[in-house]
Amino acid sequence: MKEGKPLWKGVPERLSHELKSVMEKLSLGGQLVQYLFTGVTVGSIYGMVALGFNIIYNVTEMINFAQGEFVMLGGLIMVLCAKVLPLPMAFCVTVAAVTAIGAIMERSTINPLKNTTVLTLIIVTIAVSILLKGIAMFIWGKDPYMMQPFSGTEPLHLFGAAIQTQAFWVLGISGIVVLLLTLFFRKARYGKAMLACADNAEAARLVGIKVNLMVLLSFALSAAIGAAAGAVITPISLMEYDRGALLGLKGFGAAVLGGLGSFSGAVVAGLLLGVVESLCAGFVSSGYKDAVALLLLLLVLFVRPSGLFGNVEASKIKKF
Amino acid sequence: MSRGNLITLSAVVLLLILFPVLVANVEAISHYLDVMVFVGIFSLITMGLSLLMGYAGQISLGHAAFFGLGAYTSGILCVKVAVSPWLAMVGGTLVTAVVAYGVGVPSLKLKGHYLAMATLGFGVIVNIVFNEEVELTGGPSGLSNIPGLKLFGLPLRGELLFYILVWSMVLLVLIFCLNVIHSRVGRALRSIHDSEVAADAMGVETARYKVMIFVLSAVLASLAGSLYAHYVGFLSPSSFNLLFSIRLVMMVVVGGMHSLWGALLGTWLLTFLGNEWLHVFKDFDILVYGAILLFVVMALPEGLVSVVPRLSHMWRRGRESEGGTGGT
């Protein structure tokens, strides 16, 4: 597999190639359904990346610039595992491996820093992201990796559009992730403890919550979510070592759009971002597809930094 | 200018004068002059970035975009419109100043992480434009045949003349920046770095100063871009991508972001590492970069320049204690 156009990264490259031949035969309505579906699929990935940002942000009030690398690692490790293990096993091993990487990252780089500034935190996570990218290139090289869809390559024909079956896997897994997260934060002891840290770390410490442990948990959890996202999207979009930055940036766009820290906002904004991007790629210009999502991010940041669904009051009291 | 700065400056000037002589006489490092031209060009950017990060406490992950704006404006004006290179350079700085002002005013209202992401997003967008506007920029295959510079009718051919031009500019900018730091503006910037709220309360116009320094750093990057365009003669979007923005930040951080000398040291070290010493690692230099950056941030948060005073302090204390025992 040779590299495609340099900037055509981030979204279903293969899908779009297949689509171009199909597209010409489709009606306008069919095209619209096609783009919407592609958008929702990619959007759910952005949503998951945004969830990862939010989990860490809520506990530590910092942004992890290596978030996109978790997705990249998830995809590439999945390709490796799927060759030797049955799919469900491969998926579990992938998620476990990346979770461990997230935990190691927190213990080795974030935890030792005391009395630090935002600037330092940003630079540390950037350094980790470069390091992870470098390691990935060392192991997998520069070429993108393909992977067989989880179930069958024959697309489904729905409403005059051709939908890849993998898209349903993406939606299904994202749905399950959101459901599990909601349950975790509502019911589980550790989930509630993490939310308490988000509210007020000092007070949480006073009532006996180990804030230190919660920070570790937040990194592990968001690495796990990133890995799941990477593992399911790879059959559609391929994966290579330098995909992380753009995925992370767009995921951050979704997180800001939905109001940093808001879980439901992140999911809705992710889907919205995916759909807008996909419609733009389809009807306006595929080259500027990535720019659209980022332009949207800048606009939101400039006009309403608390996000479309965020709380202005709440964002004012945050440290950073 | 303080005495310490004056001494360091004279030492640097002396080294800069001796360097071409040394290079001309040692065959093995004869191409180092070329690398030093790049060090000079990048130093122009990192000095501005050092003012922005170390003194005003704001981060920009999009400075490759301003570097690219200068380079492409110069290149396009010279190649497509046949404007004189010096005029094109001025054109580049004007375009960049306007863009930086437009981006800076809303961006700098944002706090820490948001600002980093906003500048990052801006940088990526500009890079996409460089790639997509094929008619203007040549797209991914690049813009070539950019003419060289002429000074008083004399074409600046060869590395030595460019070395002299670039480093004279660097020294001028350095002296200017050192003066900025020790002026009213510099004190205002440092007060912003320490606490923006307190600075505001004391009547420092924080917003104005932040935008001012942001535009200044962008203009310096643009100037560097124009020089780069005329020196290399060829531009491709990949020279102005996100990784380069990060490398610029790295240069400042590794050298020590609270000192202009640190920015120079970091730029020198990382450019030589990138262009010369890391060739053994081929594509895997990125791994080494990550490791260096992580090490410096974790172990030497003040950067490499902080090592010098610390060592001299230790040495002095060692001598004092020796002197103490000798006296009694």
Side-chain angles (χ1 to χ4, degrees):
Chain A
M1 184 73 205
K2 284 265 173 267
E3 266 188 283
K5 267 174 72 185
L7 269 161
W8 242 93
K9 284 173 184 168
V11 171
E13 204 159 328
R14 190 149 62 94
L15 188 70
S16 75
H17 279 307
E18 277 172 21
L19 278 184
K20 258 167 210 152
S21 56
V22 183
M23 256 350 185
E24 277 131 32
K25 297 174 212 146
L26 286 180
S27 64
L28 190 68
Q31 282 188 23
L32 196 65
V33 174
Q34 187 87 53
Y35 291 137
L36 281 178
F37 214 87
T38 313
V40 170
T41 310
V42 185
S44 62
I45 297 297
Y46 297 160
M48 286 216 267
V49 180
L51 283 177
F53 275 119
N54 279 337
I55 291 170
I56 293 179
Y57 178 78
N58 270 346
V59 178
T60 63
E61 296 198 358
M62 65 175 277
I63 293 296
N64 173 23
F65 280 71
Q67 194 65 37
E69 312 306 326
F70 293 151
V71 182
M72 177 271 292
L73 285 173
L76 288 175
I77 295 178
M78 182 70 180
V79 173
L80 208 64
C81 291
K83 279 185 189 150
V84 286
L85 294 170
L87 271 181
M89 279 281 281
F91 186 80
C92 293
V93 171
T94 305
V95 172
V98 181
T99 307
I101 295 173
I104 294 170
M105 168 185 174
E106 197 276 336
R107 278 297 112 155
S108 58
T109 63
I110 308 296
N111 193 45
L113 290 175
K114 303 275 179 256
N115 295 328
T116 174
T117 61
V118 207
L119 213 62
T120 316
L121 282 173
I122 292 175
I123 293 165
V124 166
T125 57
I126 288 177
V128 172
S129 87
I130 302 177
L131 207 58
L132 289 177
K133 203 198 247 185
I135 293 172
M137 189 166 83
F138 193 72
I139 300 176
W140 285 281
K142 281 182 159 178
D143 288 333
Y145 277 74
M146 264 202 291
M147 191 186 158
Q148 283 301 311
F150 292 4
S151 51
T153 44
E154 193 59 33
L156 272 168
H157 293 276
L158 274 179
F159 311 109
I163 315 285
Q164 282 194 325
T165 50
Q166 185 67 24
F168 294 102
W169 277 105
V170 175
L171 293 178
I173 299 268
S174 336
I176 292 172
V177 165
V178 171
L179 198 72
L180 285 180
L181 267 186
T182 316
L183 279 177
F184 177 70
F185 283 118
R186 292 246 171 95
K187 305 281 180 199
R189 223 177 128 77
Y190 279 99
K192 286 191 220 168
M194 278 171 80
L195 283 186
C197 293
D199 259 1
N200 187 331
E202 282 305 305
R205 204 189 307 270
L206 282 177
V207 297
I209 294 171
K210 293 191 179 97
V211 177
N212 207 319
L213 184 68
M214 296 303 135
V215 175
L216 174 67
L217 207 56
S218 72
F219 271 83
L221 201 56
S222 62
I225 295 172
V232 286
I233 197 69
T234 302
I236 297 184
S237 68
L238 312 177
M239 191 57 75
E240 72 262 40
Y241 80 103
D242 69 347
R243 190 70 71 77
L246 207 53
L247 274 171
L249 199 51
K250 286 181 188 168
F252 180 76
V256 171
L257 202 63
L260 208 53
S262 151
F263 290 119
S264 52
V267 176
V268 176
L271 294 176
L272 197 70
L273 206 62
V275 169
V276 170
E277 189 179 285
S278 163
L279 287 178
C280 167
F283 293 116
V284 189
S285 147
S286 61
Y288 278 108
K289 172 184 62 69
D290 291 330
V292 170
L294 300 178
L295 218 53
L296 212 62
L297 164 66
L298 285 190
L299 269 181
V300 175
L301 278 180
F302 292 167
V303 178
R304 203 181 143 83
S306 53
L308 289 181
F309 320 109
N311 185 338
V312 181
E313 293 300 312
S315 73
K316 270 188 192 151
I317 57 170
K318 289 284 181 193
K319 259 191 297 184
F320 306 136
Chain B
M1 209 180 294
S2 71
R3 216 178 113 231
N5 278 337
L6 215 57
I7 294 172
T8 323
L9 186 66
S10 334
V12 167
V13 171
L14 194 69
L15 280 177
L16 284 173
I17 294 171
L18 288 178
F19 188 75
V21 183
L22 177 77
V23 162
N25 290 315
V26 184
E27 187 58 35
I29 56 165
S30 58
H31 58 291
Y32 275 19
L33 202 60
D34 172 60
V35 186
M36 274 306 278
V37 173
F38 286 108
V39 175
I41 290 174
F42 298 155
S43 295
L44 287 173
I45 318 176
T46 50
M47 279 188 289
L49 210 52
S50 166
L51 284 186
L52 186 71
M53 287 172 63
Y55 293 90
Q58 314 294 316
I59 192 171
S60 165
L61 293 173
H63 258 54
F66 297 124
F67 180 52
L69 274 177
Y72 269 104
T73 313
S74 263
I76 291 167
L77 283 178
C78 287
V79 173
K80 312 256 158 164
V81 199
V83 175
S84 109
W86 295 105
L87 211 61
M89 198 178 282
V90 176
T93 53
L94 284 179
V95 169
T96 310
V98 171
V99 173
Y101 187 79
V103 176
V105 169
S107 287
L108 294 166
K109 284 186 192 144
L110 301 170
K111 289 185 262 181
H113 291 117
Y114 288 97
L115 176 66
M117 282 290 189
T119 49
L120 188 72
F122 165 74
V124 176
I125 291 176
V126 171
N127 198 255
I128 292 175
V129 174
F130 289 158
N131 263 299
E132 292 300 320
E133 293 302 316
V134 179
E135 301 224 328
L136 269 180
T137 64
S141 46
L143 184 72
S144 46
N145 296 326
I146 301 165
L149 285 172
K150 273 185 190 167
L151 200 58
F152 308 119
L154 177 81
L156 287 176
R157 260 193 227 107
E159 284 133 16
L160 186 63
L161 289 174
F162 229 93
Y163 173 87
I164 297 170
L165 172 76
V166 167
W167 280 98
S168 329
M169 278 186 167
V170 171
L171 288 176
L172 282 178
V173 170
L174 176 65
I175 293 168
F176 172 75
C177 288
L178 284 173
N179 281 325
V180 165
I181 293 167
H182 294 288
S183 71
R184 190 186 158 84
V185 180
R187 287 193 296 276
L189 288 178
R190 258 170 294 166
S191 72
I192 295 172
H193 184 273
D194 291 342
S195 161
E196 205 170 321
V197 179
D200 246 339
M202 297 306 290
V204 176
E205 289 174 89
T206 52
R208 204 181 117 222
Y209 282 117
K210 280 196 295 183
V211 172
M212 209 165 90
I213 226 67
F214 186 72
V215 173
L216 173 69
S217 71
V219 164
L220 286 175
S222 158
L223 198 66
S226 298
L227 288 170
Y228 178 87
H230 292 298
Y231 183 62
V232 179
F234 170 77
L235 301 173
S236 117
S238 60
S239 318
F240 312 101
N241 59 9
L242 172 60
L243 192 65
F244 189 67
S245 284
I246 293 178
R247 268 183 68 183
L248 290 171
V249 170
M250 263 182 82
M251 291 173 183
V252 176
V253 173
V254 168
M257 63 178 156
H258 298 296
S259 148
L260 279 169
W261 301 110
L264 287 181
L265 180 68
T267 312
W268 172 80
L269 185 68
L270 281 173
T271 310
F272 265 91
L273 276 178
N275 292 14
E276 284 298 316
W277 302 331
L278 286 186
H279 273 188
V280 268
F281 294 98
K282 296 205 179 91
D283 286 338
F284 304 110
D285 54 351
I286 186 175
L287 206 63
V288 184
Y289 282 133
I292 294 176
L293 185 57
L294 199 59
F295 170 76
V296 170
V297 185
M298 308 279 304
L300 287 172
E302 300 290 309
L304 290 178
V305 261
S306 68
V307 175
V308 181
R310 225 187 277 175
L311 282 181
S312 78
H313 185 72
M314 274 163 65
W315 186 66
R316 231 176 265 164
R317 270 184 51 185
R319 265 193 13 163
E320 263 167 32
S321 62
E322 255 173 42
T325 46
T328 49

